[in-house]
Amino acid sequence: MREDFRLAIRGHPAYSRGEPVLLTFELANVGDTEYRLLIWNTPLEGEVLNFLEVRHAGHVVPYDGRFFSRGDPGPASYRTIRAGETIAEQLDIAESYALDEPGAYEVTLLVRFADVIPVTGPEALTARPRQEHQGLVLGPVTTRFELLPDGPARPTAGERARTEGPKDGARLLTIGPGAGRPAAEERDIPVPPEFAEVDAADANARAWLDAAIAELASWTAGADNTLYTEWFGEHDAARYKTVLDRFAGTRVWMNTRIHYDLSPSDCRANSNAYTHLGSDTVHICPNFFRLPVTGTDARFGTIVHEWSHASPIVGTADIAYGLPASRDLAVRNPDAAAKNADNYSSFVETLSLRMLTAPVFLPNGQVYFFAGGQYYRMDPGTRRVDPDFPRPIAPHWPGLWSGRIDAGVMWNNGKAYFFRDGQYMRYDIDSGKVDPGYPLSISAHWRGLWGDRIDAAVLWDNGKAYFFRDDQYMQYDVASEKVDPGYPKPIAGNWPGLWGNGVQGAVMWNDGKAYLLRGWQYVGYDVAAQRAAPAYPRAIGENWPGLWSDGGIDVALMYSRNDAVYFMRGTRYRAYDIAQNRVVHPDFPLTIEGNWPGLWGDGIDAAVPWPGGKVYFFRGSEFMRWDVAENRVDAGFPLPIADHWPGLWGDGLDAAVLWPNGKAYFLRGSEYMRYDVAAGRVDPGYPLPIDPFWPGLWGDGVDAGVVWDNGNAYFFKGSQYMRYDITADRVEDGYPLPIGSNWPGLPGRTG
């Protein structure tokens, strides 16, 4: 494809300072295929964005134009170039580069088309989402010119934005020192809905930026932080500090007096917002209001993205857009990922979905956890998340905030109290909804308590409630409805064994312990002994199955000579890329139904690849045969196991693996059978017990198993896995290990 294009840049040999420095950019299609080109951040967009390197006197002239946050492109973001056609754009580069000093300049053009679509027929695609983009890099090409000293310097777009501010008549939302928030709590002051929505996104961005800084600075050791690795690549101490400093610098800039312009007239197609380096204003585009409030590609992520551009001590760039491209950038070029704005917003958004807050133990015997705009329901007896969770907060918690919730606590009056920023809500358990008249302000109704933010809260059985924020806590007397004298106090020294700061959630359990959460860990606090119980902290994802994920694995399957492993649980599946060592797609888990034609969509017990391009799936007393080439179940299935697999158990298989010795092994409970593939039957003498014939493997059963092409088999049970050396015929030393910290994207910890 690259050979089909020719790129050129040309201009005059000299320009006077202060006049437009017009350069012509040409793109020729010299091939015989028509293409549609995504024009983002290229000369074809008709604006000088950050696609040039301008040098003068041996120094790089910084880019000083606009930075955009973008959603998925539509047809208007593409341009068609026919076979044999040449497209030219003439642009004034002085709009985005400060050309003040006379002398020789060198301009290099490097074009990165984020997506190129060959037009092969009348039904050709006109646009496609970011996860399907196929990019192309062209260049570099260079031109030179002389800048003559015979005119006044001309300000760039960035300079005008920093000095002139928003245009007259702009609808501005101002936040920061002396400005407050747009709505006074508990006063009937009308606020335009879009102002409230932007303000809420700003508040979410601040809260989760603080959590991101804590995650990198204190919650997780640098070398062990798999969330960092996902978005910024392999661990490097210097780069880790750079990323932390850039998060902190973004947050510092948001602490100044900042503005949101809700009336820009010059937004690009599919852009969410834009700003300039050093600007105190983010311009909100109409597409912003079509974004979700929480989750990925969310409004608050856009806020983080833009202020990371604007902060003069951060100054991120737009190298890649979207979760797939940003995640890939972290693998290919970690230094570039550490400079890319979408990697920062993606980190914060991912953390928001994994950081559990506001746990409450309700009288119905269930425990509820909140994360981002979702919630989980856990059975305290099994300590497993119920099926089909997480679910969105709205509409399942009528009247409650549908996005971020900071803290929650169950009271003895049949009410649960939830806190966010300076407000709280009272939720009536019997009626299943928020009481009328809420939210209310904390400061006006909780005497002595912090009035602007609560991180966690828990009710003891001594008539006291404990509230946490940063490195302090308060003791609240329920009967007198006020904070006891002498508070706040430091957590350190008063809660033996607990972290000294950053508690993000707390809940009283029915086992005499309070469980306190921070990042990816939790502590069980013995109320009677008044200290953390032994062996804490522990990882949430490894001990509370289902949190941050759908928990556990039913099926692990790798086709012969395939580069992906498929993990299934319940109605959903994930594809795990062996080379990248991670789940390959941000939209996973996906539903089995609709993606595996003909296969049961509501649960599978076991699967095993078979010679001849087939895969066998088992559920209950039946099995199906899957054709790999046709990508569907063969006609006539399902069939009963008992009639077609001589000697095998007729139902209830747990796992199956195809060994390289022509045998398949089927496991059920504490036993296994060896099946001869050529003879088509179970070998004599089976079943046998797993222990002692599979040295080191769990003897009471496994959930799933898969044979890798590296001479190992992997077995999974709950939140753990083992690696089995096929040649040595035993589990390798050091196992079991947690799935979550070793299989990125599968159930497990954040850090």
Side-chain angles (χ1 to χ4, degrees):
M1 184 185 298
R2 181 185 175 94
E3 59 272 12
D4 286 349
F5 295 100
R6 298 290 183 270
L7 189 64
I9 180 174
R10 53 185 173 81
H12 297 301
Y15 299 89
S16 294
R17 184 170 58 184
E19 72 173 0
V21 179
L22 296 173
L23 298 183
T24 299
F25 305 89
E26 291 184 347
L27 179 68
N29 181 355
V30 298
D32 55 8
T33 302
E34 183 175 305
Y35 295 96
R36 284 185 56 75
L37 308 173
L38 181 57
I39 63 175
W40 287 352
N41 292 347
T42 74
L44 301 185
E45 200 164 9
E47 180 176 350
V48 179
L49 299 173
N50 197 11
F51 47 74
L52 298 174
E53 182 182 82
V54 180
R55 302 184 70 89
H56 170 68
H59 300 288
V60 174
V61 179
Y63 170 73
D64 202 19
R66 293 200 287 180
F67 291 97
F68 286 96
S69 169
R70 306 183 191 256
D72 281 337
S77 295
Y78 287 79
R79 186 165 174 180
T80 298
I81 182 168
R82 296 184 299 274
E85 183 181 11
T86 297
I87 296 175
E89 289 284 348
Q90 189 179 64
L91 302 174
D92 178 10
I93 70 168
E95 269 292 293
S96 299
Y97 293 88
L99 307 181
D100 299 334
E101 298 295 326
Y105 283 80
E106 180 181 88
V107 180
T108 300
L109 170 64
L110 183 68
V111 172
R112 298 180 179 90
F113 287 110
D115 193 28
V116 178
I117 304 175
V119 180
T120 56
E123 303 299 322
L125 294 172
T126 58
R128 54 188 173 190
R130 287 170 295 181
Q131 65 266 24
E132 298 178 11
H133 285 178
Q134 298 180 24
L136 177 67
V137 178
L138 298 178
V141 293
T142 300
T143 190
R144 295 170 180 80
F145 64 85
E146 187 82 12
L147 187 68
L148 306 176
D150 53 354
R154 184 159 63 94
T156 62
E159 290 172 327
R160 295 196 300 271
R162 290 186 291 272
T163 57
E164 299 173 6
K167 298 176 182 178
D168 291 340
R171 301 176 68 227
L172 289 183
L173 166 62
T174 301
I175 300 174
R181 312 297 302 186
E185 297 164 3
E186 296 190 279
R187 294 186 217 161
D188 187 17
I189 301 176
V191 176
E194 61 271 26
F195 275 54
E197 292 174 32
V198 173
D199 175 65
D202 175 274
N204 285 340
R206 292 167 188 263
W208 281 317
L209 264 173
D210 288 340
I213 294 166
E215 162 67 13
L216 293 171
S218 60
W219 290 357
T220 303
D224 296 330
N225 198 317
T226 56
L227 182 62
Y228 166 88
T229 304
E230 180 177 3
W231 296 110
F232 298 106
E234 62 183 359
H235 178 73
D236 174 84
R239 186 166 56 245
Y240 191 96
K241 184 178 185 303
T242 295
V243 169
L244 174 57
D245 289 346
R246 284 174 175 163
F247 272 121
T250 302
R251 188 66 177 88
V252 166
W253 195 244
M254 292 183 69
N255 285 339
T256 63
R257 188 180 178 90
I258 60 173
H259 311 280
Y260 293 99
D261 173 15
L262 277 68
S263 54
S265 59
D266 51 355
C267 289
R268 291 289 178 187
N270 306 106
S271 60
N272 304 324
Y274 69 85
T275 191
H276 299 80
L277 178 65
S279 174
D280 62 2
T281 302
V282 166
H283 304 267
I284 301 296
C285 298
N287 197 60
F288 177 89
F289 299 100
R290 292 188 280 270
L291 301 176
V293 173
T294 54
T296 55
D297 292 326
R299 294 177 184 178
F300 78 91
T302 294
I303 299 298
V304 172
H305 177 113
E306 288 304 309
W307 288 122
S308 76
H309 283 319
S311 170
I313 59 176
V314 178
T316 57
D318 288 323
I319 302 168
Y321 284 115
L323 275 71
S326 299
R327 187 181 283 109
D328 180 65
L329 188 65
V331 175
R332 292 185 296 102
N333 191 340
D335 286 334
K339 185 69 173 175
N340 187 51
D342 255 19
N343 285 73
Y344 288 85
S345 59
S346 296
F347 181 101
V348 175
E349 289 172 343
T350 306
L351 176 62
S352 76
L353 292 174
R354 298 182 182 177
M355 189 182 78
L356 302 174
T357 63
V360 288
F361 201 130
L362 296 191
N364 64 1
Q366 301 293 320
V367 185
Y368 295 85
F369 296 85
F370 295 83
Q374 301 175 319
Y375 76 101
Y376 297 81
R377 188 180 70 201
M378 173 180 278
D379 184 313
T382 63
R383 299 212 176 179
R384 286 187 174 273
V385 170
D386 289 338
D388 299 324
F389 284 87
R391 296 176 180 175
I393 296 172
H396 299 287
W397 293 75
L400 194 58
W401 297 292
S402 61
R404 173 176 52 90
I405 298 174
D406 292 340
V409 61
M410 184 66 212
W411 229 239
N412 289 330
N413 59 358
K415 309 286 187 179
Y417 293 88
F418 294 95
F419 301 83
R420 188 177 77 173
D421 297 327
Q423 296 182 308
Y424 77 102
M425 290 186 178
R426 189 177 70 196
Y427 193 91
D428 185 79
I429 304 302
D430 288 339
S431 64
K433 63 180 179 179
V434 171
D435 285 335
Y438 289 86
L440 296 173
S441 76
I442 298 171
S443 59
H445 296 273
W446 295 75
R447 286 184 292 168
L449 198 58
W450 298 290
D452 57 347
R453 191 184 88 241
I454 305 295
D455 290 340
V458 62
L459 179 66
W460 239 239
D461 58 5
N462 60 356
K464 306 290 185 179
Y466 296 90
F467 292 84
F468 299 84
R469 190 178 80 166
D470 297 329
D471 60 352
Q472 295 181 314
Y473 77 102
M474 289 187 179
Q475 180 176 284
Y476 187 92
D477 186 79
V478 177
S480 63
E481 296 186 349
K482 64 178 181 180
V483 172
D484 286 338
Y487 289 86
K489 292 181 179 180
I491 298 171
N494 291 293
W495 291 75
L498 188 61
W499 311 283
N501 63 75
V503 176
Q504 291 294 317
V507 60
M508 192 69 195
W509 216 260
N510 58 355
D511 61 358
K513 291 189 179 70
Y515 290 94
L516 299 106
L517 314 167
R518 187 182 81 161
W520 57 273
Q521 292 182 312
Y522 74 107
V523 165
Y525 197 88
D526 190 309
V527 175
Q530 295 190 26
R531 64 169 46 255
Y536 287 95
R538 297 175 181 172
I540 295 170
E542 295 156 20
N543 294 280
W544 303 60
L547 294 179
W548 303 324
S549 183
D550 54 350
I553 294 169
D554 290 340
V555 170
L557 172 67
M558 183 172 69
Y559 297 163
S560 178
R561 298 181 301 279
N562 199 355
D563 60 355
V565 183
Y566 296 94
F567 292 95
M568 297 177 172
R569 179 176 173 83
T571 61
R572 299 184 291 177
Y573 78 99
R574 291 174 167 86
Y576 193 90
D577 188 290
I578 297 170
Q580 295 186 33
N581 194 34
R582 66 177 60 250
V583 170
V584 299
H585 195 291
D587 290 342
F588 283 114
L590 298 173
T591 59
I592 296 172
E593 185 176 359
N595 291 291
W596 294 75
L599 195 58
W600 299 292
D602 56 351
I604 298 165
D605 294 338
V608 60
W610 217 249
K614 303 292 184 180
V615 177
Y616 288 94
F617 291 89
F618 301 84
R619 187 179 75 168
S621 62
E622 296 182 311
F623 75 101
M624 289 186 178
R625 189 177 66 202
W626 174 272
D627 189 288
V628 174
E630 295 294 329
N631 196 44
R632 61 175 173 80
V633 170
D634 286 337
F637 289 86
L639 293 172
I641 298 171
D643 294 347
H644 297 272
W645 294 79
L648 192 59
W649 297 293
D651 62 4
L653 301 178
D654 290 335
V657 289
L658 179 66
W659 233 238
N661 61 357
K663 306 288 187 178
Y665 294 88
F666 293 85
L667 298 92
R668 187 178 77 167
S670 62
E671 296 182 311
Y672 77 102
M673 289 187 178
R674 188 177 71 195
Y675 192 94
D676 189 294
V677 175
R681 60 177 172 80
V682 171
D683 286 337
Y686 289 87
L688 290 174
I690 295 173
D691 183 16
F693 292 101
W694 293 73
L697 193 61
W698 297 286
D700 56 351
V702 302
D703 294 339
V706 62
V707 175
W708 228 251
D709 57 2
N710 61 359
N712 295 310
Y714 295 85
F715 292 93
F716 302 84
K717 183 176 181 178
S719 61
Q720 296 181 312
Y721 79 103
M722 291 184 178
R723 188 167 69 196
Y724 196 94
D725 187 312
I726 294 173
T727 302
D729 195 25
R730 63 177 178 84
V731 171
E732 293 185 3
D733 294 338
Y735 290 87
L737 291 173
I739 297 170
S741 54
N742 294 284
W743 298 71
L746 295 183
R749 55 179 264 188
T750 299

